């Protein structure tokens, strides 16, 4: 079951029978365009379901915002981190560390603002933030497609569709259609992991490198690709896995090195993170915050939801490990969790930081795919409604950044 550029190799792990090769069927090999069209025909239920869920969330948010006389365009295109990326796209990065958070934007990785800048240059008549939102919308569909491809390859088409819809139904999924990096990052991670599963090492490494230029957690997908490629070399040496392993971390490493050179100190990037009060503490800060949520305060609804997402993600990772998911998925999810839970930074955006961890949803997707149709539709519909409600609350009822 080919997916555009990433046609599965026979050596890739799979939970479902692989499609027969053109040589076995007697048909001549087809071109990339034909394979992509075929893949889209297979993926269209996932893309339609994902679009429907996110469309519902956007509709609820729009009605809610209008009732409160809040600007929908501003909230989706220009608020909070959106504004940081827009200013990087227009004015570039800071030249020194400084002492104030609002004077240093080097904590934000460059690929997304570069795409925004390119969009603004190509379509200068668009309102501020429209290019960024367009990038996020397009990337969200590519992400849903890649997520479906992973689920389809491992557990079949129904599980792939459910997995994509679940990703669009997460409590903070409204961020996927905002001027944020989560959709772009998830798309790059999903297709990089799919390329690993299908044995396309150069694609896997290249997409992982781009992910490393998008978010700090790009190091997680780079590690997943590099480790899997190196283990493949133990079975039989080949140039492509080696190149994939070398290329995968280059994006993250290059930006960290560039920040160091710009600031004139080898630990420049980590000094920036310290300025943003975001340091690795092994999860001590996270556990203290959770203790406060449960024992010493009456948390806001959004903070309670974030806590539930963090705890639920740990449970889902244990289930994923027990289900013996492929190694690259487990490495990616595990490192993503370790980075998000082990850092001492601001607590409430962490549900958003876990959005790219779609492999954590695989145990739920597989279970739902086996359910009766009416049960499946009811549960997915309920999830979409809850996501729509939380999305509105996140931007309108919660007085803090998502």
């Amino acid at each position: 079951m080919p997916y555009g550029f990433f046609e599965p190799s026979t050596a890739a792990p799979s939970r479902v029978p692989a499609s027969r090769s053109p040589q076995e069927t007697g048909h001549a090999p087809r071109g990339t365009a034909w394979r992509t069209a075929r893949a889209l025909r297979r993926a269209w239920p996932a893309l339609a379901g994902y679009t429907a869920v996110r469309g519902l969330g956007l509709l609820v948010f729009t009605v809610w915002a209008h009732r409160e006389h809040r600007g929908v365009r501003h909230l989706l295109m220009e608020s909070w981190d959106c504004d940081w990326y827009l200013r990087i796209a227009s004015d570039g990065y800071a030249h020194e560390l400084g002492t104030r958070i609002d004077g240093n934007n080097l904590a934000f990785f460059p690929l997304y603002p570069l795409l925004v800048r390119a969009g603004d240059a190509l379509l200068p008549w668009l309102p501020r933030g429209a290019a960024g939102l367009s990038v996020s919308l397009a990337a969200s569909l590519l992400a849903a497609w890649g997520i479906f491809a992973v689920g389809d390859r491992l557990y079949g088409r129904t599980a792939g569709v459910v997995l994509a819809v679940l990703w669009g139904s997460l409590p903070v999924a409204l961020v996927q259609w905002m001027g944020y990096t989560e959709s772009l990052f998830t798309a790059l991670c999903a297709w990089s992991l799919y390329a690993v599963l299908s044995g396309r090492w150069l694609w896997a490494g290249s997409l992982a490198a781009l992910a490393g230029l998008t978010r700090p957690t790009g190091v997680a997908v780079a590690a997943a690709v590099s480790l899997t490629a190196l283990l493949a070399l133990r079975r039989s040496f080949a140039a492509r896995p080696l190149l994939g392993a070398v290329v995968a971390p280059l994006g993250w490493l290059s930006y960290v090195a560039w920040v160091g050179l710009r600031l004139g100190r080898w630990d420049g990037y980590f000094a920036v993170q310290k300025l943003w009060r975001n340091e690795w503490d092994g999860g001590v800060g996270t556990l203290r915050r959770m203790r406060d949520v449960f024992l010493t305060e009456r948390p806001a609804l959004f903070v309670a939801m974030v806590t539930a997402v963090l705890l639920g993600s740990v449970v889902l990772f244990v289930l994923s490990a027990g289900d013996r998911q492929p190694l690259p998925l487990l490495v990616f999810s595990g490192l993503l969790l370790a980075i998000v839970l082990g850092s001492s930074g601001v607590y409430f955006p962490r549900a958003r930081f876990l959005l790219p961890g779609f492999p954590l949803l695989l145990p739920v997707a597989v279970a739902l795919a086996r359910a009766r149709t009416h049960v499946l539709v009811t549960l997915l519909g309920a999830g979409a409604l809850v996501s729509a409600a939380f999305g509105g609350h996140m931007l309108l009822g919660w007085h803090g950044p998502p």
Side-chain angles (χ1 to χ4, degrees):
M1 51 187 76
Y3 290 92
F5 293 109
F6 306 125
E7 187 178 2
S9 68
T10 55
S14 179
R15 305 295 180 88
V16 295
S19 299
R20 290 185 296 166
S21 68
Q23 291 76 14
E24 292 174 316
T25 59
H27 297 297
R30 305 300 182 99
T32 297
W34 181 88
R35 294 198 303 271
T36 302
R38 182 186 175 195
L40 276 173
R41 286 196 297 270
R42 184 169 182 84
W44 78 262
L47 298 178
Y50 170 78
T51 303
V53 168
R54 292 299 349 118
L56 173 64
L58 182 61
L59 176 63
V60 170
F61 168 72
T62 301
V63 173
W64 193 340
H66 283 163
R67 292 186 63 180
E68 295 198 2
H69 306 289
R70 303 282 297 277
V72 173
R73 185 180 72 83
H74 169 74
L75 289 169
L76 295 180
M77 299 183 188
E78 301 176 323
S79 62
W80 302 109
D81 284 5
C82 303
D83 186 58
W84 280 98
Y85 287 115
L86 293 176
R87 284 188 283 162
I88 293 171
S90 61
D91 303 326
Y93 282 103
H95 289 274
E96 57 186 21
L97 182 62
T99 58
R100 294 170 50 189
I101 290 178
D102 59 3
N104 193 296
N105 54 18
L106 289 165
F108 298 88
F109 278 52
L111 182 59
Y112 181 78
L114 283 174
L115 293 175
V116 172
R117 187 168 188 169
D120 287 337
L122 292 172
L123 303 171
W125 60 85
L126 290 177
R128 185 176 188 265
L133 183 60
S134 299
V135 170
S136 294
L137 286 171
S140 73
L141 294 175
L142 288 173
W145 188 4
I147 290 168
F148 163 79
V150 171
D152 182 22
R153 181 172 182 81
L154 295 177
Y155 297 104
R157 190 183 191 189
T158 301
V161 172
V162 174
L163 184 63
V165 173
L166 285 175
W167 183 68
S169 302
L170 292 171
V172 293
L174 182 61
V175 170
Q176 296 166 9
W177 283 12
M178 290 178 63
Y180 276 52
T181 59
E182 272 67 26
S183 290
L184 176 62
F185 182 66
T186 304
L188 293 169
C189 291
W191 284 110
S192 177
L193 292 170
Y194 179 80
V196 171
L197 295 175
S198 58
R200 304 299 180 183
W201 298 109
L202 293 181
W203 275 109
S206 300
L207 292 170
L210 290 174
L213 289 171
T214 307
R215 289 196 60 81
T217 45
V219 70
V221 68
V225 172
S226 295
L227 177 61
T228 310
L230 292 175
L231 289 175
L233 289 174
R234 293 179 59 186
R235 294 191 296 270
S236 61
F237 181 83
R240 289 179 181 270
L242 179 60
L243 285 174
V246 171
V247 169
L250 292 183
W252 188 89
L253 290 173
S254 63
Y255 181 68
V256 170
W258 179 82
V259 172
L261 291 172
R262 192 173 183 86
L263 297 180
R265 49 187 294 179
W266 70 270
D267 64 341
Y269 173 74
F270 303 100
V272 170
Q273 290 294 336
K274 186 175 181 179
L275 179 66
W276 282 79
R277 303 183 182 89
N278 190 20
E279 297 180 271
W280 172 262
D281 67 355
V284 174
T286 302
L287 290 174
R288 286 176 178 170
R289 188 69 180 91
M290 287 183 175
R291 178 199 61 192
D292 293 341
V293 168
F294 286 113
L295 300 178
T296 64
E297 66 179 46
R298 296 181 60 184
L301 177 61
F302 188 76
V303 174
M305 182 276 294
V306 170
T307 304
V309 168
L310 297 182
L311 293 174
S313 296
V314 174
V315 172
L316 289 173
F317 180 75
V318 173
L319 293 175
S320 299
D323 194 39
R324 297 185 179 181
Q325 277 186 17
L327 179 64
L329 302 187
L330 289 175
V331 171
F332 171 65
S333 300
L335 284 179
L336 182 66
L337 270 174
I339 294 169
V340 172
L341 297 178
S343 300
S344 62
V346 182
Y347 185 74
F348 43 80
R350 299 192 191 194
R352 170 169 65 88
F353 295 162
L354 287 176
L355 269 178
F358 70 91
L360 295 170
L361 299 172
L362 270 169
V364 181
V366 172
L368 288 177
R370 295 169 179 164
R372 295 180 180 273
T373 301
H374 70 277
V375 175
L376 173 63
V377 172
T378 300
L379 292 177
L380 290 181
L385 290 173
V386 171
S387 175
F390 267 114
H393 175 73
M394 177 178 66
L395 289 187
L396 300 169
W398 166 250
H399 301 292

